Amino acid sequence: MKVYIGLLFSKLQRKQCVQLNGVISEINDVYCGVPQGSILGPLMFLIFFNDLYERLYFCKVIKFADDTVIYYSDGNIDEIQTKINEDLNNVSSFFEENDLIINLKKGKTESLLFGTAKRLAKTSGVLDLQFNEVKINSTKRYKYLGILLDPNLTFSEHFNKSYKKASSRLRLLHRLKPYLTLKAATTIYKSFVLPLVNYCGVINLSINKGQLDKFKSLESRGRDILSSFGEISKIILPKIKDMIEKRACLLVRQCIDGKLCVNFRNYFEVLAHSKNTRNNKSSIKIPKVKLEFARKGFYFMGAKIYNLLPNELRCKESYSDFKNCLMKLYS
C-alpha cells in the first residue's frame, strides 16, 4: 500500500521545500502522503491506517477520522499500564513501518484514567505510559469530539463550559437585536445557542436540579430577547430538556431497529413474553446497574425515558411513523 501511494503521487510530480529565515531548502519530490483537502485523501487514509487494530493484542480502539483512542479496562492500575504500554510498543512498530509520525505534544496525545471517585482515590490518578521512550502526558480532562471528559464521567465540566458559551452568545444576540428581524434572531438562537447545549445531549439525560434551572434560565433569556420584537406568538421555541429526551428516544428506537452501527445492535432488550399484556414487545428491560454514574448513562436513562412514552407510540412498527408521532408529542 505504501508503494501504491508513492506511485500515485509521483505521477502528479508533487514537490516540497522548507523555508527558514529567508533560506529555501533544496526542492525534493514527495513520494508519500496525500494533499489535505483532496477527494481521495480520507479514503486512502482509512485504507492505509485501518490495519492498526491488528497490532493491538490487549487494548480496544475507537477511530473517528484521524482521531484515534486506544483503551483498556481493569481493576488494577498496574495491569492497565502494563497492557497499554505493550500495545503502544506494537503501535510504535506499526508507525515506523508505515512512515507515520505521532504528535506527542500536550493536548494532542494524552492519557486519562477513568473510574469511580472511590477507586481513583486509592491511586495517583496518573498513568505512566510511554511511546518511543517519550512519556505521554497524563491529564484530568480531555476534549474528544467536542465533549469534555473527566475522570468520573460526570460531564459537569462539559455542562458548565457549554452553558457559559451559550450564555455568552445570548448576550451577543441581545446586543445585535436592533439590527435583526424576528426571523433572523430566531434562526441565530436555534443555530448558534441551542446546539451548544444539545450537542451529544444524551449525556445530559440525568442532569440535576441546578443544571436544569440553568437550562430554564437560557430558555427564559432567549424568549425575552425574541419577545421584544412583539411577534413571539409566530414562533415556537423548543425546550432544551424536551430536545434531549426526544433525541434519546430516537436513538433508542434506532438501536432496537438495528439502524445504528454494530456496537449498538442488541444494546437494549425488548420485553417479550407469552401473555397478551399491554406492554408486551413494546417496553424495554431496565438494566440492572450498580454504580451511580451508570444510572446516569444512556444505557439506563435511555431505556427509562423510552418506557415513559405512550404505549401506542412505542408500538409503531415503522421508524418513520414512530419519529413523526414523537415529533408531535414533543411539539
Side-chain angles (χ1 to χ4, degrees), residues 124-141:
S124 63
V126 177
L127 290 171
D128 184 15
L129 303 178
Q130 294 187 359
F131 189 91
N132 285 342
E133 299 182 354
V134 177
K135 185 175 177 61
I136 295 176
N137 180 60
S138 186
T139 183
K140 295 295 184 182
R141 65 175 188 172

Side-chain angles (χ1 to χ4, degrees), residues 3 11 49 68 73 162 185 190 204 221 255 279:
V3 175
K11 290 182 179 180
F49 195 71
T68 303
S73 176
S162 300
K190 291 183 177 180
N204 292 322
R221 289 167 59 189
C255 291
N279 291 320

